[in-house]
């Protein structure tokens, strides 16, 4: 199958979502590749985006220098290179090359942009019709090629399937092999992800091609229904359901139901092989096409995908903003990120440095924050676009005023690495309510209710039946939207140049603003707003907005005063509202509870 370009061309100044600018400590070149960005990094190595001398763009996996000196680990990396180079399928990334003898050993494969299967289903909904068939065919074609090369994937799950512009792509089929002999396996650990592993894997049996086909059936089930085949929760609960309870096939279309049922059989011998699944799927599809010529299933898979693939949106490269040296220094949350990553090679790197080079000017005239800072609307929208693309951030929202009593307070933190995690904390009165949302959607939401006094015990729980809330992404979008909204609603607006953040005529001093942004500077905008007060007459309503010289939002401050006439006389009231953007792009750590600490359903006590 001829490969079409998998993405728009990118370079160091225009990178696709998911790739961050390379840091000073990252290599400048790897073999024939110029390193232009970082895709991921962790305890054993890193993955970079590279551009070869001939313009080819690749994902470059490297090992850290101290592992490269370990003959045993280097031999495992060499076996991974060998395995990856042997797999040839339209639904796996192309092998581009490798050099095991280089000072920094590297492996280059096709860079594949696009959302994961989970992200696509979360945003677009469950798949049906030809699109579902295309996904089932593509995954089976990839597994057929992987198994033919003598490889077992071992960790097939929605996060390891990318929905590219050309079709599904199965990733990371060399990772489990590369982990052989490491502490993970030598101490009895399980390679795989609960909820997607075959029953025999929980019992310590070596994964086999039949185990991969169980995961294949689970993925098709998920694509068709949007549901986890064995639910979510504690590992013990998911393991028990996988080994003892057949999934509910309601909602799985007839054209794939038989294969899904057989693939999820607890007996590995009863599951179809990848070849058998591919033959049945492509054969059924061909019979619905009058005059279609019969071909080998592996050859027909690209035909099916090309005919049925639709509705996948792959964002193009975005302009990159790089932080200037010494512009701002922010405290990083002191909590510890604790994740039981099963079968994952690249972990969150707490030592990663944020990029700090000066920004390059674009051919379209550069960024508004530099070329037209007085254009408040353009600068505000640019700030929001940059914030949306950040791989991590910390933010806070709070209010003070005469009628608020104990004022509400909300903190908001996000990191993309090693997987998307949102953490939100709300304080009001004596109670604290926390929400941790893991993954690319609210498919694993952990709540925590406790008192705000020091020493109060946490009460973590999951409540799958509780769907009466927006996702954290939606709440973050609402918060970001307040920045251009204030500018748009302004009856008049003034650009005041670059000033100290949080300092200005009419701005109420606040310790939180001083602690987080004190001493920093940004482009300063102020303007009047239409009143929101209904029960009284608004005397004034205005805002102050600061946008950093790096283009990111810093602080939106709104102040409203009004007078209420009553029998006892006139009363003056006011509210000060702060939307504080503490930092973007710095490493963020989020503390996660152990599974043993998480209960099922809302606890009887607590707010």
């Amino acid at each position: 199958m001829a490969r079409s370009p998998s993405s728009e061309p990118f370079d160091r100044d225009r990178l696709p979502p998911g790739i961050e600018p390379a840091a000073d400590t990252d290599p400048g070149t790897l073999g024939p590749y110029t390193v232009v960005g970082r895709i991921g990094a962790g305890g054993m190595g890193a993955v970079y985006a590279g551009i070869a001398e001939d313009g080819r763009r690749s994902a470059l996996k490297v090992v850290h220098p101290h592992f490269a000196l370990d003959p045993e680990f280097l031999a495992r990396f060499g076996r991974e290179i060998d395995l990856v180079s042997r797999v040839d399928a339209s639904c796996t990334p192309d092998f581009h090359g490798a050099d095991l003898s280089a000072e920094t050993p590297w492996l280059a494969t096709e860079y594949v942009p696009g959302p994961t299967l989970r992200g696509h289903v979360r945003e677009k909904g469950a798949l049906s019709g030809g699109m579902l068939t295309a996904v089932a065919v593509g995954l089976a074609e990839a597994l057929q090629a992987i198994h033919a090369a003598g490889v077992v994937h071992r960790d097939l799950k929605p996060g390891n399937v990318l929905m590219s512009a050309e079709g599904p792509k199965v990733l990371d089929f060399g990772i489990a092999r590369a982990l052989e002999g490491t502490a993970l396996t030598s101490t009895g650990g399980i390679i795989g992800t609960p909820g997607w592993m075959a029953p025999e894997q929980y019992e310590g049996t070596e994964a086999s091609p039949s185990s991969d086909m169980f995961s294949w059936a689970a993925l098709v089930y998920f694509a068709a229904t949007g549901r986890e085949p064995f639910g979510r929760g504690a590992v013990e609960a998911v393991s028990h359901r996988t080994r003892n309870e057949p999934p509910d096939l309601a909602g799985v279309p007839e054209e794939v139901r038989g294969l899904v049922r057989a693939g999820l059989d607890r007996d590995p011998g009863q599951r179809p092989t990848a070849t058998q699944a591919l033959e049945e799927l492509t054969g059924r599809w061909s019979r619905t096409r009058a005059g279609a010529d019969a071909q080998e299933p592996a050859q027909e898979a690209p035909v099916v995908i090309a005919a049925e693939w639709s509705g996948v949106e792959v964002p193009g490269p975005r302009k990159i903003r790089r932080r200037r040296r010494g512009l701002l220094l922010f405290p990083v949350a002191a909590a510890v990120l604790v994740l039981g990553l099963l079968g994952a090679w690249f972990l969150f790197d707490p030592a990663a440095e944020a990029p700090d080079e000066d920004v390059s000017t674009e051919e379209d005239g550069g960024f508004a924050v530099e070329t037209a800072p007085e254009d408040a609307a353009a600068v505000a929208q640019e700030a929001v676009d940059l914030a949306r693309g950040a791989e991590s951030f910390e933010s806070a929202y709070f209010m003070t005023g005469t009628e608020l009593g104990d004022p509400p307070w909300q903190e908001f933190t996000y990191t993309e690495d090693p997987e998307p995690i949102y953490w939100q904390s709300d304080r009001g009165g004596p109670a604290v309510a926390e929400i941790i949302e893991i993954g690319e959607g609210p498919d694993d939401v952990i709540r925590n209710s406790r008192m705000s006094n020091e020493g109060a015990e946490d009460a973590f729980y999951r409540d799958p039946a509780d769907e009466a809330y927006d996702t954290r992404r939606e709440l973050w979008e609402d918060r970001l939207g307040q920045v251009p909204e204030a500018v748009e609603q302004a009856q008049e607006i003034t650009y005041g140049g670059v000033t100290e953040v949080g300092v200005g005529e009419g701005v109420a001093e606040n310790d939180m603003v001083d602690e987080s942004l004190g001493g920093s500077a940004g482009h300063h905008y102020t303007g009047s707003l239409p009143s929101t007060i209904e029960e009284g007459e608004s005397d004034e309503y205005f805002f102050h907005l600061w946008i950093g010289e790096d283009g990111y939002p810093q602080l939106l401050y709104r102040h409203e005063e009004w007078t209420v006439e009553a029998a006892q006389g006139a009363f003056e009231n006011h509210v000060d509202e702060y939307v504080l953007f503490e930092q973007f792009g710095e490493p963020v750590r989020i503390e996660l509870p152990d599974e043993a600490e998480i209960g099922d359903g809302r606890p009887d006590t607590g707010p």
Side-chain angles (χ1 to χ4, degrees), residues 332-338 348 350 394 413 423 587-592:
V332 177
V336 178
L337 175 63
V338 181
F348 173 70
E394 290 181 297
T413 300
W423 175 84
V588 169
R589 304 179 187 182
I590 298 175
E591 185 176 13
L592 298 181

Side-chain angles (χ1 to χ4, degrees), residues 3-12 15-16 19 30-37 39 48-60 85 93-99 106-113:
R3 299 297 182 90
S4 59
S6 60
S7 68
E8 296 179 37
F10 58 83
D11 54 36
R12 69 181 301 274
L15 294 175
I19 301 181
L30 291 168
Y33 291 92
T34 298
V35 174
V36 298
I39 299 173
Y48 297 107
I51 303 176
E53 296 168 352
D54 61 2
R56 182 166 58 178
R57 289 157 174 81
S58 302
L60 303 165
S85 67
D94 288 340
F95 173 74
H96 284 176
D99 188 350
W106 54 270
L107 162 64
T109 58
E110 174 189 10
Y111 170 71
V112 181

Side-chain angles (χ1 to χ4, degrees), residues 14 80 152 191-192 197 288 329 331 394 404 442 464 577 585:
R14 293 184 63 86
E80 179 181 351
V152 177
I191 295 177
M197 297 159 49
T288 65
L329 293 175
E394 290 181 297
L404 293 176
E577 186 177 16

Side-chain angles (χ1 to χ4, degrees), residues 1-131:
M1 173 184 176
R3 299 297 182 90
S4 59
S6 60
S7 68
E8 296 179 37
F10 58 83
D11 54 36
R12 69 181 301 274
D13 294 320
R14 293 184 63 86
L15 294 175
I19 301 181
E20 293 303 315
D24 286 343
T25 54
D26 292 329
T29 59
L30 291 168
Y33 291 92
T34 298
V35 174
V36 298
R38 177 185 291 202
I39 299 173
M44 295 184 182
V47 181
Y48 297 107
I51 303 176
E53 296 168 352
D54 61 2
R56 182 166 58 178
R57 289 157 174 81
S58 302
L60 303 165
K61 180 183 292 187
V62 304
V63 297
H64 286 320
H66 57 284
F67 284 110
L69 297 175
D70 182 342
E72 183 178 350
F73 187 87
L74 198 61
R76 289 198 297 273
F77 190 48
R79 287 198 296 272
E80 179 181 351
I81 291 172
D82 176 62
L83 292 170
V84 171
S85 67
R86 283 193 266 137
V87 175
D88 182 20
S90 66
C91 292
T92 60
D94 288 340
F95 173 74
H96 284 176
D99 188 350
L100 193 62
S101 63
E103 181 178 356
T104 302
W106 54 270
L107 162 64
T109 58
E110 174 189 10
Y111 170 71
V112 181
T116 64
L117 175 61
R118 182 180 299 283
H120 182 79
V121 169
R122 180 62 57 187
E123 181 178 356
K124 303 292 185 180
L127 307 181
S128 61
M131 190 62 177

Side-chain angles (χ1 to χ4, degrees), residues 394-400 404 407-412 425-427 475-476 478-479 482 512 555-556 558 575-582:
E394 290 181 297
S395 179
Y397 172 86
F398 54 95
M399 300 171 66
T400 61
L404 293 176
W409 176 278
Q410 183 184 84
E411 294 178 83
F412 210 69
S425 176
D426 295 298
R427 290 176 172 84
L475 292 175
W476 174 241
D478 288 344
R479 178 173 295 174
Q482 295 178 47
M512 181 62 186
L555 174 67
L556 173 62
R558 285 176 288 204
V575 168
D576 294 293
E577 186 177 16
Y578 301 82
V579 184
L580 178 62
F581 302 96
E582 298 179 69

Side-chain angles (χ1 to χ4, degrees), residues 128-262:
S128 61
M131 190 62 177
L132 177 62
T133 297
V135 166
V137 165
L139 299 182
E141 186 247 18
L143 285 179
Q144 182 190 50
I146 291 169
H147 295 163
V151 183
V152 177
H153 192 293
R154 304 187 185 191
D155 195 23
L156 197 62
K157 57 187 178 183
N160 278 340
V161 177
L162 285 181
M163 304 287 277
S164 79
E166 295 84 34
K169 300 275 187 176
V170 174
L171 305 182
D172 292 344
F173 49 84
I175 285 177
R177 291 289 188 181
L179 281 167
E180 287 179 347
T182 65
L184 181 64
T185 54
S186 63
T187 58
I190 298 173
I191 295 177
T193 301
W196 307 99
M197 297 159 49
E200 62 270 18
Q201 290 177 269
Y202 290 102
E203 299 166 0
T205 301
E206 181 71 13
S208 67
S210 292
S211 305
D212 281 349
M213 288 309 296
F214 184 94
S215 301
W216 172 86
L219 283 177
V220 177
Y221 177 100
F222 172 77
T225 65
R227 306 192 305 268
E228 313 281 332
F230 300 98
R232 297 187 66 89
V235 173
E236 295 79 7
V238 174
S239 170
H240 176 81
R241 290 193 291 266
T242 303
R243 290 181 287 113
N244 298 285
E245 301 175 10
D248 179 7
L249 296 180
V252 180
E254 179 64 31
E255 58 265 28
V256 296
R257 186 182 303 161
L259 281 172
V260 169
R261 179 184 290 110

